[in-house]
mmCIF file of all heavy atoms in Angstrom:
data_model
loop_
_atom_site.group_PDB
_atom_site.id
_atom_site.type_symbol
_atom_site.label_atom_id
_atom_site.label_comp_id
_atom_site.label_asym_id
_atom_site.label_seq_id
_atom_site.Cartn_x
_atom_site.Cartn_y
_atom_site.Cartn_z
ATOM 1 N N GLY C 270 -15.193 -2.548 93.304
ATOM 2 C CA GLY C 270 -15.908 -2.646 92.034
ATOM 3 C C GLY C 270 -15.269 -1.875 90.907
ATOM 4 O O GLY C 270 -15.622 -2.075 89.741
ATOM 5 N N ALA C 271 -14.341 -0.972 91.212
ATOM 6 C CA ALA C 271 -13.626 -0.240 90.167
ATOM 7 C C ALA C 271 -12.695 -1.195 89.419
ATOM 8 O O ALA C 271 -12.516 -2.351 89.811
ATOM 9 C CB ALA C 271 -12.839 0.919 90.782
ATOM 10 N N VAL C 272 -12.088 -0.688 88.358
ATOM 11 C CA VAL C 272 -11.250 -1.529 87.500
ATOM 12 C C VAL C 272 -9.774 -1.308 87.819
ATOM 13 O O VAL C 272 -9.317 -0.164 87.953
ATOM 14 C CB VAL C 272 -11.508 -1.210 86.006
ATOM 15 C CG1 VAL C 272 -10.605 -2.043 85.113
ATOM 16 C CG2 VAL C 272 -12.969 -1.469 85.660
ATOM 17 N N ASP C 273 -9.038 -2.392 87.933
ATOM 18 C CA ASP C 273 -7.589 -2.335 88.120
ATOM 19 C C ASP C 273 -6.942 -2.116 86.749
ATOM 20 O O ASP C 273 -6.958 -3.005 85.901
ATOM 21 C CB ASP C 273 -7.102 -3.646 88.747
ATOM 22 C CG ASP C 273 -5.593 -3.669 88.980
ATOM 23 O OD1 ASP C 273 -4.904 -2.724 88.562
ATOM 24 O OD2 ASP C 273 -5.102 -4.658 89.566
ATOM 25 N N LEU C 274 -6.388 -0.941 86.541
ATOM 26 C CA LEU C 274 -5.802 -0.587 85.246
ATOM 27 C C LEU C 274 -4.283 -0.697 85.252
ATOM 28 O O LEU C 274 -3.623 -0.182 84.342
ATOM 29 C CB LEU C 274 -6.230 0.834 84.858
ATOM 30 C CG LEU C 274 -7.730 1.016 84.577
ATOM 31 C CD1 LEU C 274 -8.060 2.482 84.390
ATOM 32 C CD2 LEU C 274 -8.158 0.209 83.355
ATOM 33 N N SER C 275 -3.727 -1.380 86.229
ATOM 34 C CA SER C 275 -2.270 -1.461 86.332
ATOM 35 C C SER C 275 -1.652 -2.209 85.150
ATOM 36 O O SER C 275 -0.559 -1.872 84.692
ATOM 37 C CB SER C 275 -1.857 -2.125 87.654
ATOM 38 O OG SER C 275 -2.381 -3.441 87.750
ATOM 39 N N PHE C 276 -2.355 -3.231 84.640
ATOM 40 C CA PHE C 276 -1.823 -3.961 83.479
ATOM 41 C C PHE C 276 -1.825 -3.079 82.235
ATOM 42 O O PHE C 276 -0.887 -3.111 81.432
ATOM 43 C CB PHE C 276 -2.636 -5.232 83.215
ATOM 44 C CG PHE C 276 -2.537 -6.260 84.297
ATOM 45 C CD1 PHE C 276 -3.587 -6.479 85.176
ATOM 46 C CD2 PHE C 276 -1.385 -7.017 84.463
ATOM 47 C CE1 PHE C 276 -3.497 -7.419 86.179
ATOM 48 C CE2 PHE C 276 -1.284 -7.974 85.462
ATOM 49 C CZ PHE C 276 -2.341 -8.168 86.332
ATOM 50 N N ILE C 277 -2.883 -2.286 82.059
ATOM 51 C CA ILE C 277 -2.966 -1.358 80.932
ATOM 52 C C ILE C 277 -1.821 -0.347 81.012
ATOM 53 O O ILE C 277 -1.114 -0.090 80.028
ATOM 54 C CB ILE C 277 -4.317 -0.616 80.926
ATOM 55 C CG1 ILE C 277 -5.491 -1.596 80.745
ATOM 56 C CG2 ILE C 277 -4.338 0.467 79.841
ATOM 57 C CD1 ILE C 277 -5.662 -2.138 79.366
ATOM 58 N N GLU C 278 -1.625 0.225 82.196
ATOM 59 C CA GLU C 278 -0.572 1.227 82.380
ATOM 60 C C GLU C 278 0.798 0.627 82.121
ATOM 61 O O GLU C 278 1.654 1.237 81.456
ATOM 62 C CB GLU C 278 -0.658 1.793 83.806
ATOM 63 C CG GLU C 278 0.098 3.098 84.004
ATOM 64 C CD GLU C 278 1.501 2.898 84.550
ATOM 65 O OE1 GLU C 278 1.867 1.749 84.884
ATOM 66 O OE2 GLU C 278 2.245 3.893 84.645
ATOM 67 N N GLY C 279 1.026 -0.584 82.615
ATOM 68 C CA GLY C 279 2.316 -1.243 82.424
ATOM 69 C C GLY C 279 2.614 -1.508 80.957
ATOM 70 O O GLY C 279 3.738 -1.276 80.480
ATOM 71 N N VAL C 280 1.617 -1.984 80.221
ATOM 72 C CA VAL C 280 1.811 -2.262 78.797
ATOM 73 C C VAL C 280 2.021 -0.961 78.027
ATOM 74 O O VAL C 280 2.863 -0.894 77.112
ATOM 75 C CB VAL C 280 0.616 -3.049 78.229
ATOM 76 C CG1 VAL C 280 0.654 -3.076 76.704
ATOM 77 C CG2 VAL C 280 0.608 -4.465 78.770
ATOM 78 N N ALA C 281 1.285 0.094 78.376
ATOM 79 C CA ALA C 281 1.462 1.385 77.705
ATOM 80 C C ALA C 281 2.894 1.886 77.888
ATOM 81 O O ALA C 281 3.504 2.421 76.945
ATOM 82 C CB ALA C 281 0.460 2.401 78.246
#
Side-chain angles (χ1 to χ4, degrees):
V272 178
D273 180 354
L274 294 172
S275 60
F276 294 106
I277 297 286
E278 197 265 354
V280 167

